[in-house]
Structure formats: C-alpha cells, structure tokens
Short mmCIF file of all heavy atoms in Angstrom, two decimals:
data_model
loop_
_atom_site.label_atom_id
_atom_site.label_comp_id
_atom_site.label_asym_id
_atom_site.label_seq_id
_atom_site.Cartn_x
_atom_site.Cartn_y
_atom_site.Cartn_z
N LEU A 209 -6.11 -66.91 6.00
CA LEU A 209 -5.44 -66.50 7.23
C LEU A 209 -6.20 -66.89 8.49
O LEU A 209 -5.66 -66.82 9.58
CB LEU A 209 -5.21 -64.98 7.22
CG LEU A 209 -4.39 -64.43 6.03
CD1 LEU A 209 -4.17 -62.92 6.21
CD2 LEU A 209 -3.07 -65.15 5.89
N GLY A 210 -7.47 -67.28 8.33
CA GLY A 210 -8.26 -67.72 9.47
C GLY A 210 -8.82 -66.60 10.32
O GLY A 210 -9.47 -66.84 11.33
N ARG A 211 -8.60 -65.35 9.93
CA ARG A 211 -9.08 -64.21 10.71
C ARG A 211 -9.13 -62.98 9.83
O ARG A 211 -8.57 -62.95 8.73
CB ARG A 211 -8.15 -63.94 11.90
CG ARG A 211 -6.81 -63.34 11.52
CD ARG A 211 -5.83 -63.28 12.66
NE ARG A 211 -4.73 -62.35 12.43
CZ ARG A 211 -3.70 -62.56 11.64
NH1 ARG A 211 -3.63 -63.73 10.98
NH2 ARG A 211 -2.76 -61.65 11.49
N LEU A 212 -9.79 -61.94 10.32
CA LEU A 212 -9.79 -60.62 9.69
C LEU A 212 -9.22 -59.56 10.62
O LEU A 212 -8.41 -58.74 10.20
CB LEU A 212 -11.20 -60.23 9.24
CG LEU A 212 -11.80 -61.01 8.06
CD1 LEU A 212 -13.23 -60.54 7.79
CD2 LEU A 212 -10.96 -60.86 6.80
N GLU A 213 -9.66 -59.56 11.86
CA GLU A 213 -9.21 -58.56 12.81
C GLU A 213 -7.69 -58.63 13.00
O GLU A 213 -7.12 -59.69 13.23
CB GLU A 213 -9.89 -58.73 14.16
CG GLU A 213 -11.37 -58.37 14.15
CD GLU A 213 -11.99 -58.37 15.53
OE1 GLU A 213 -11.22 -58.49 16.51
OE2 GLU A 213 -13.22 -58.25 15.64
N GLY A 214 -7.07 -57.46 12.90
CA GLY A 214 -5.63 -57.39 13.11
C GLY A 214 -4.79 -57.69 11.89
O GLY A 214 -3.57 -57.52 11.91
N VAL A 215 -5.41 -58.14 10.79
CA VAL A 215 -4.68 -58.42 9.56
C VAL A 215 -4.16 -57.10 8.97
O VAL A 215 -4.88 -56.10 8.92
CB VAL A 215 -5.58 -59.13 8.53
CG1 VAL A 215 -4.93 -59.13 7.14
CG2 VAL A 215 -5.85 -60.56 8.97
N LYS A 216 -2.89 -57.10 8.53
CA LYS A 216 -2.33 -55.93 7.88
C LYS A 216 -2.43 -56.10 6.38
O LYS A 216 -1.79 -56.97 5.79
CB LYS A 216 -0.86 -55.71 8.28
CG LYS A 216 -0.23 -54.49 7.61
CD LYS A 216 1.21 -54.26 8.02
CE LYS A 216 1.80 -53.03 7.31
NZ LYS A 216 3.21 -52.75 7.70
N LEU A 217 -3.24 -55.25 5.76
CA LEU A 217 -3.42 -55.28 4.30
C LEU A 217 -2.76 -54.05 3.70
O LEU A 217 -3.08 -52.92 4.07
CB LEU A 217 -4.91 -55.32 3.95
CG LEU A 217 -5.26 -55.52 2.46
CD1 LEU A 217 -6.58 -56.25 2.32
CD2 LEU A 217 -5.34 -54.19 1.69
N VAL A 218 -1.86 -54.27 2.77
CA VAL A 218 -1.14 -53.19 2.11
C VAL A 218 -1.59 -53.11 0.65
O VAL A 218 -1.48 -54.09 -0.09
CB VAL A 218 0.38 -53.41 2.17
CG1 VAL A 218 1.10 -52.26 1.46
CG2 VAL A 218 0.84 -53.51 3.62
N TYR A 219 -2.11 -51.94 0.28
CA TYR A 219 -2.51 -51.72 -1.11
C TYR A 219 -1.44 -50.90 -1.79
O TYR A 219 -1.16 -49.76 -1.39
CB TYR A 219 -3.86 -51.00 -1.18
CG TYR A 219 -4.40 -50.89 -2.59
CD1 TYR A 219 -5.19 -51.89 -3.13
CD2 TYR A 219 -4.09 -49.80 -3.40
CE1 TYR A 219 -5.68 -51.81 -4.42
CE2 TYR A 219 -4.56 -49.71 -4.69
CZ TYR A 219 -5.35 -50.72 -5.20
OH TYR A 219 -5.83 -50.63 -6.49
N MET A 220 -0.84 -51.45 -2.86
CA MET A 220 0.22 -50.78 -3.60
C MET A 220 -0.26 -50.38 -4.98
O MET A 220 -0.94 -51.15 -5.66
CB MET A 220 1.45 -51.69 -3.70
CG MET A 220 2.05 -52.07 -2.35
SD MET A 220 3.50 -53.14 -2.46
CE MET A 220 4.71 -52.02 -3.16
N GLY A 221 0.10 -49.18 -5.39
CA GLY A 221 -0.34 -48.69 -6.70
C GLY A 221 -1.22 -47.48 -6.58
O GLY A 221 -1.07 -46.66 -5.68
N ASP A 222 -2.19 -47.33 -7.47
CA ASP A 222 -3.10 -46.19 -7.50
C ASP A 222 -4.24 -46.44 -6.51
O ASP A 222 -5.16 -47.21 -6.78
CB ASP A 222 -3.65 -45.99 -8.91
CG ASP A 222 -4.36 -44.65 -9.08
OD1 ASP A 222 -4.75 -44.05 -8.07
OD2 ASP A 222 -4.53 -44.20 -10.23
N ALA A 223 -4.18 -45.76 -5.36
CA ALA A 223 -5.14 -46.00 -4.28
C ALA A 223 -6.29 -45.00 -4.28
O ALA A 223 -7.02 -44.89 -3.29
CB ALA A 223 -4.43 -45.97 -2.93
N ARG A 224 -6.50 -44.30 -5.39
CA ARG A 224 -7.52 -43.24 -5.43
C ARG A 224 -8.91 -43.73 -5.81
O ARG A 224 -9.90 -43.04 -5.56
CB ARG A 224 -7.11 -42.16 -6.43
CG ARG A 224 -5.81 -41.47 -6.12
CD ARG A 224 -5.41 -40.55 -7.27
NE ARG A 224 -5.20 -41.31 -8.51
CZ ARG A 224 -4.97 -40.74 -9.69
NH1 ARG A 224 -4.94 -39.43 -9.80
NH2 ARG A 224 -4.78 -41.51 -10.77
N TYR A 225 -9.01 -44.91 -6.40
CA TYR A 225 -10.26 -45.30 -7.03
C TYR A 225 -10.90 -46.53 -6.38
O TYR A 225 -10.62 -46.86 -5.23
CB TYR A 225 -10.05 -45.49 -8.52
CG TYR A 225 -9.55 -44.24 -9.21
CD1 TYR A 225 -8.37 -44.23 -9.94
CD2 TYR A 225 -10.25 -43.04 -9.09
CE1 TYR A 225 -7.91 -43.08 -10.56
CE2 TYR A 225 -9.79 -41.88 -9.69
CZ TYR A 225 -8.62 -41.90 -10.42
OH TYR A 225 -8.17 -40.75 -11.01
N ASN A 226 -11.76 -47.23 -7.16
CA ASN A 226 -12.66 -48.24 -6.62
C ASN A 226 -12.01 -49.23 -5.66
O ASN A 226 -12.42 -49.38 -4.51
CB ASN A 226 -13.33 -49.00 -7.76
CG ASN A 226 -14.53 -48.28 -8.31
OD1 ASN A 226 -14.77 -47.13 -7.98
ND2 ASN A 226 -15.29 -48.95 -9.15
N MET A 227 -10.99 -49.94 -6.14
CA MET A 227 -10.44 -51.02 -5.33
C MET A 227 -9.79 -50.51 -4.06
O MET A 227 -10.03 -51.03 -2.96
CB MET A 227 -9.44 -51.85 -6.14
CG MET A 227 -10.09 -52.74 -7.19
SD MET A 227 -11.50 -53.70 -6.55
CE MET A 227 -10.80 -54.50 -5.12
N GLY A 228 -8.94 -49.50 -4.18
CA GLY A 228 -8.30 -48.95 -3.00
C GLY A 228 -9.31 -48.41 -2.00
O GLY A 228 -9.20 -48.64 -0.79
N ASN A 229 -10.31 -47.70 -2.51
CA ASN A 229 -11.34 -47.13 -1.63
C ASN A 229 -12.19 -48.21 -0.98
O ASN A 229 -12.48 -48.15 0.22
CB ASN A 229 -12.23 -46.18 -2.42
CG ASN A 229 -11.51 -44.91 -2.85
OD1 ASN A 229 -10.48 -44.55 -2.29
ND2 ASN A 229 -12.04 -44.24 -3.85
N SER A 230 -12.61 -49.20 -1.76
CA SER A 230 -13.44 -50.28 -1.23
C SER A 230 -12.72 -51.04 -0.12
O SER A 230 -13.30 -51.34 0.93
CB SER A 230 -13.84 -51.24 -2.35
OG SER A 230 -14.64 -50.61 -3.32
N LEU A 231 -11.47 -51.35 -0.35
CA LEU A 231 -10.70 -52.10 0.63
C LEU A 231 -10.45 -51.28 1.89
O LEU A 231 -10.51 -51.79 3.01
CB LEU A 231 -9.38 -52.56 0.02
CG LEU A 231 -9.51 -53.68 -1.02
CD1 LEU A 231 -8.21 -53.84 -1.80
CD2 LEU A 231 -9.89 -55.00 -0.36
N MET A 232 -10.16 -49.99 1.72
CA MET A 232 -9.92 -49.14 2.88
C MET A 232 -11.16 -49.05 3.77
O MET A 232 -11.06 -49.14 5.00
CB MET A 232 -9.48 -47.74 2.44
CG MET A 232 -9.17 -46.80 3.59
SD MET A 232 -8.38 -45.24 3.10
CE MET A 232 -9.66 -44.52 2.06
N ILE A 233 -12.32 -48.87 3.17
CA ILE A 233 -13.56 -48.78 3.93
C ILE A 233 -13.86 -50.11 4.63
O ILE A 233 -14.21 -50.14 5.81
CB ILE A 233 -14.73 -48.38 3.02
CG1 ILE A 233 -14.54 -46.95 2.51
CG2 ILE A 233 -16.07 -48.49 3.75
CD1 ILE A 233 -15.53 -46.53 1.45
N ALA A 234 -13.72 -51.22 3.90
CA ALA A 234 -13.98 -52.54 4.49
C ALA A 234 -13.04 -52.82 5.65
O ALA A 234 -13.46 -53.33 6.70
CB ALA A 234 -13.86 -53.62 3.41
N CYS A 235 -11.77 -52.51 5.48
CA CYS A 235 -10.79 -52.73 6.54
C CYS A 235 -11.13 -51.89 7.77
O CYS A 235 -11.06 -52.37 8.91
CB CYS A 235 -9.39 -52.39 6.05
SG CYS A 235 -8.69 -53.58 4.86
N ALA A 236 -11.48 -50.64 7.55
CA ALA A 236 -11.79 -49.74 8.65
C ALA A 236 -12.97 -50.24 9.47
O ALA A 236 -12.99 -50.13 10.70
CB ALA A 236 -12.07 -48.34 8.12
N LYS A 237 -13.97 -50.79 8.81
CA LYS A 237 -15.17 -51.24 9.51
C LYS A 237 -15.00 -52.60 10.19
O LYS A 237 -15.65 -52.87 11.19
CB LYS A 237 -16.34 -51.30 8.52
CG LYS A 237 -16.83 -49.93 8.07
CD LYS A 237 -18.08 -50.06 7.22
CE LYS A 237 -18.66 -48.68 6.90
NZ LYS A 237 -19.94 -48.78 6.14
N LEU A 238 -14.12 -53.44 9.63
CA LEU A 238 -14.01 -54.82 10.13
C LEU A 238 -12.74 -55.09 10.92
O LEU A 238 -12.45 -56.23 11.26
CB LEU A 238 -14.11 -55.79 8.95
CG LEU A 238 -15.45 -55.77 8.20
CD1 LEU A 238 -15.41 -56.73 7.02
CD2 LEU A 238 -16.59 -56.12 9.13
N GLY A 239 -11.96 -54.04 11.19
CA GLY A 239 -10.83 -54.22 12.09
C GLY A 239 -9.53 -54.66 11.46
O GLY A 239 -8.63 -55.12 12.16
N LEU A 240 -9.38 -54.50 10.13
CA LEU A 240 -8.11 -54.80 9.48
C LEU A 240 -7.28 -53.51 9.41
O LEU A 240 -7.82 -52.42 9.27
CB LEU A 240 -8.32 -55.32 8.05
CG LEU A 240 -8.92 -56.72 7.89
CD1 LEU A 240 -10.45 -56.66 8.04
CD2 LEU A 240 -8.57 -57.30 6.52
N ASN A 241 -5.97 -53.65 9.50
CA ASN A 241 -5.07 -52.51 9.43
C ASN A 241 -4.71 -52.25 7.97
O ASN A 241 -4.04 -53.05 7.34
CB ASN A 241 -3.82 -52.75 10.26
CG ASN A 241 -4.16 -52.98 11.73
OD1 ASN A 241 -4.98 -52.27 12.31
ND2 ASN A 241 -3.53 -53.98 12.34
N PHE A 242 -5.16 -51.11 7.45
CA PHE A 242 -5.00 -50.79 6.04
C PHE A 242 -3.85 -49.82 5.82
O PHE A 242 -3.74 -48.82 6.52
CB PHE A 242 -6.29 -50.18 5.48
CG PHE A 242 -6.20 -49.75 4.04
CD1 PHE A 242 -6.44 -50.65 3.02
CD2 PHE A 242 -5.87 -48.44 3.70
CE1 PHE A 242 -6.36 -50.27 1.69
CE2 PHE A 242 -5.78 -48.05 2.37
CZ PHE A 242 -6.03 -48.96 1.36
N THR A 243 -3.01 -50.13 4.84
CA THR A 243 -1.92 -49.25 4.45
C THR A 243 -1.97 -49.00 2.95
O THR A 243 -2.00 -49.96 2.17
CB THR A 243 -0.55 -49.85 4.82
OG1 THR A 243 -0.45 -50.00 6.24
CG2 THR A 243 0.58 -48.95 4.33
#
C-alpha cells in the first residue's frame, strides 16, 4: 500500500487472542485504523 498511517485494517474472526491483539496494538501505536 506504500504507507501505514491512515490504513484501515479489519480483523475478522476470533479477535481475543495473539493475532488480533498483536495487530490491534501495532495499529494503535503506528497510526493504522483498526477494526
């Protein structure tokens, strides 16, 4: 995509564990919009 800031990332499925949590934290710190 050529960028990170402002990217909308949607996680579908079970968002309680490693992958959902890791992505949510990374998005929050680096300016991606996490859903």
Side-chain angles (χ1 to χ4, degrees):
L209 302 184
R211 72 189 198 284
L212 290 177
E213 290 188 9
V215 167
K216 180 179 179 179
L217 187 150
V218 179
Y219 186 89
M220 299 180 69
D222 192 340
R224 299 173 298 173
Y225 300 124
N226 277 10
M227 287 312 308
N229 291 341
S230 297
L231 288 167
M232 181 170 62
I233 293 172
C235 288
K237 289 187 174 184
L238 297 177
L240 290 81
N241 300 317
F242 177 86
T243 297

